[in-house]
């Protein structure tokens, strides 16, 4: 199977697995992040969960899932497809890099491919997340995702669906970059061929990579969630100033626990699904597009902005 098609289908399946396995945690995250509008009605993740189950129902944990489910399948397909194509452009599929000891340059180029994939994803993901957030907040009056979209288009315009997009870019460029680099680094630390990595190893690597990427970008996500949920904010600056003035710096970590609880199973499922699908396809129909020319590999000596945080020289 062609590598591009393989990455697209694998990303699509990974997106489905990730959303289904972690969506209730995302609902908890959004409600806790946005509870400044509701006088701090939740005293943590457990209290939030118990109140939802007691006052609403278990189905409330999955409210608004159709939008991110469909969106995530497409967006993950694009994410992994773009990342794969950028890796090919940077010759990262060349046998030079298929060794047990990865060079500094390898991880720097991986960071670049992840950043470009994250930038591409941001413009697709932002409107999906805006609708999802509007559906998840407690005072939501929409009966379906389509009702929410229709109301936004009727009340505002199409452009309003992209409210908060640049915050999504600020979150996803470093987030996705660190996401792919950390997954690759963890997998390489096992010193086992990727095709022979046990499923548990893939799950652990994906889960840890997801948690790491959220840890370094979480404060941006808090402001993005509030800005997209509350239309009373006329600007991101206003949203930021009011959040800090009313709650202090701790506001930037509100809802972190359910986010990490969501991030681990979500990203474990995504990466494991994508890699197992690729492994299956490689066994059924080996890819013919692997590069074998090592004589004209480019050098990127100046791309040291990201990997300084990694202990590459093991």
């Amino acid at each position: 199977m062609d590598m591009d098609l393989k990455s697209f289908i694998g990303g699509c399946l990974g997106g489905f697995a990730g959303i289904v396995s972690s969506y209730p945690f995302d609902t908890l995250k959004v409600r806790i992040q946005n509870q400044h509008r509701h006088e701090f009605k939740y005293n943590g993740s457990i209290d939030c969960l118990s109140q939802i189950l007691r006052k609403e129902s278990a189905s409330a944990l999955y409210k608004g899932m159709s939008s991110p489910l469909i969106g995530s399948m497409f967006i993950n397909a694009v994410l992994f497809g773009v990342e794969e194509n950028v890796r090919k452009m940077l010759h990262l599929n060349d046998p030079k890099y298929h060794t047990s000891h990865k060079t500094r340059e390898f991880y720097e180029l991986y960071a670049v491919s992840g950043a470009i994939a994250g930038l591409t994803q941001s413009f697709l993901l932002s409107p999906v997340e805006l609708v999802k957030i509007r559906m998840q907040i407690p005072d939501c009056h929409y009966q379906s995702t389509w009702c929410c979209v229709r109301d936004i288009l009727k009340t505002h315009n199409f452009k309003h669906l992209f409210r908060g997009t640049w915050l999504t870019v600020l979150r996803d460029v470093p987030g996705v970059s660190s996401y792919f680099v950390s997954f690759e680094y963890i997998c390489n630390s096992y010193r086992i061929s990727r095709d022979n990595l046990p499923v548990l190893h893939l799950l652990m690597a994906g889960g840890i990579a997801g948690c790491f990427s959220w840890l370094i970008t979480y404060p941006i996500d808090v402001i993005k969630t509030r800005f997209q949920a509350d239309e009373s904010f006329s600007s991101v600056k206003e949203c930021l100033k009011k959040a800090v003035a009313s709650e202090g710096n701790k506001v930037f970590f509100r809802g972190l626990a359910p986010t990490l609880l969501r991030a681990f199973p979500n990203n474990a499922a995504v990466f494991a699904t994508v890699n197992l699908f690729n492994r299956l396809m490689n066994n059924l129909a080996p890819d013919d597009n692997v590069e074998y020319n090592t004589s004209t590999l480019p050098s990127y000596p100046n791309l040291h902005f990201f990997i300084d945080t990694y202990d590459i020289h093991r």
Side-chain angles (χ1 to χ4, degrees):
M1 180 183 289
D2 179 75
M3 188 176 292
D4 294 340
L5 180 59
K6 187 193 306 178
S7 298
F8 186 88
I9 297 175
C12 187
L13 294 174
F16 178 85
I19 289 293
V20 170
S21 65
S22 64
Y23 194 78
F25 295 112
D26 188 68
T27 299
L28 299 181
K29 173 185 84 76
V30 168
R31 293 207 178 189
I32 292 175
Q33 282 183 339
N34 200 49
Q35 67 176 330
H36 67 294
R37 300 175 62 201
H38 310 286
E39 300 179 355
F40 301 100
K41 63 187 296 184
Y42 305 122
N43 294 318
S45 303
I46 301 300
D47 181 54
C48 180
L49 175 62
S50 64
Q51 286 196 45
I52 291 173
L53 294 177
R54 186 173 65 253
K55 297 179 181 179
E56 300 174 59
S57 65
S59 63
L61 293 169
Y62 294 90
K63 192 171 184 179
M65 189 174 76
S66 60
S67 170
L69 181 62
I70 296 171
S72 182
M73 292 173 67
F74 174 71
I75 290 167
N76 270 275
V78 172
L79 176 70
F80 281 89
V82 170
E83 197 272 339
E84 174 64 34
N85 275 281
V86 176
R87 279 197 288 125
K88 287 166 63 178
M89 291 170 59
L90 298 177
H91 299 272
L92 282 171
N93 291 334
D94 197 284
K96 172 186 177 179
Y97 294 113
H98 294 178
T99 62
S100 59
H101 179 73
K102 304 298 184 183
T103 64
R104 181 191 187 93
E105 181 183 73
F106 171 84
Y107 288 106
E108 290 172 342
L109 296 180
Y110 232 100
V112 172
S113 69
I116 294 174
L119 177 63
T120 305
Q121 170 188 267
S122 301
F123 296 99
L124 301 173
L125 184 60
S126 185
V128 172
E129 289 196 337
L130 183 140
V131 173
K132 174 184 70 69
I133 289 168
R134 297 285 175 88
M135 292 289 295
Q136 287 175 316
I137 57 179
D139 56 357
C140 171
H141 60 276
Y142 300 118
Q143 298 299 314
S144 68
T145 299
W146 170 241
C147 288
C148 179
V149 174
R150 186 172 55 188
D151 183 65
I152 291 172
L153 295 176
K154 181 179 179 180
T155 307
H156 303 281
N157 51 40
F158 180 77
K159 183 180 178 181
H160 193 80
L161 286 171
F162 292 87
R163 175 182 169 90
T165 294
W166 289 109
L167 287 171
T168 309
V169 171
L170 288 174
R171 181 196 67 184
D172 285 1
V173 169
V176 175
S177 180
S178 62
Y179 182 52
F180 280 104
V181 170
S182 54
F183 176 77
E184 192 67 24
Y185 185 78
I186 295 168
C187 285
N188 291 332
S189 70
Y190 291 132
R191 305 287 185 177
I192 304 173
S193 168
R194 181 65 58 83
D195 290 337
N196 296 321
L197 271 180
V199 175
L200 181 60
H201 287 55
L202 291 173
L203 290 170
M204 289 297 296
I208 294 171
C211 290
F212 177 69
S213 68
W214 271 107
L215 280 172
I216 66 174
T217 60
Y218 190 73
I220 299 173
D221 184 69
V222 172
I223 301 303
K224 183 193 79 72
T225 298
R226 294 190 172 205
F227 184 68
Q228 289 185 320
D230 193 341
E231 294 184 5
S232 67
F233 295 122
S234 60
S235 67
V236 174
K237 184 179 180 180
E238 180 190 358
C239 178
L240 178 62
K241 287 178 65 176
K242 287 188 175 180
V244 174
S246 62
E247 301 173 53
N249 291 332
K250 65 182 180 180
V251 69
F252 294 115
F253 300 96
R254 190 170 300 284
L256 180 60
T259 299
L260 296 180
L261 287 173
R262 165 190 174 272
F264 194 94
N266 181 301
N267 295 286
V270 168
F271 268 119
T273 300
V274 171
N275 279 268
L276 291 174
F277 175 78
N278 288 341
R279 187 183 299 179
L280 174 63
M281 291 297 100
N282 286 336
N283 290 333
L284 295 177
D287 181 57
D288 296 326
N289 297 324
V290 178
E291 301 177 51
Y292 290 100
N293 179 23
T294 61
S295 62
T296 59
L297 289 175
S299 178
Y300 299 83
N302 297 320
L303 298 177
H304 300 304
F305 63 93
F306 182 82
I307 306 303
D308 288 337
T309 57
Y310 287 88
D311 180 16
I312 303 304
H313 305 290
R314 290 176 283 121

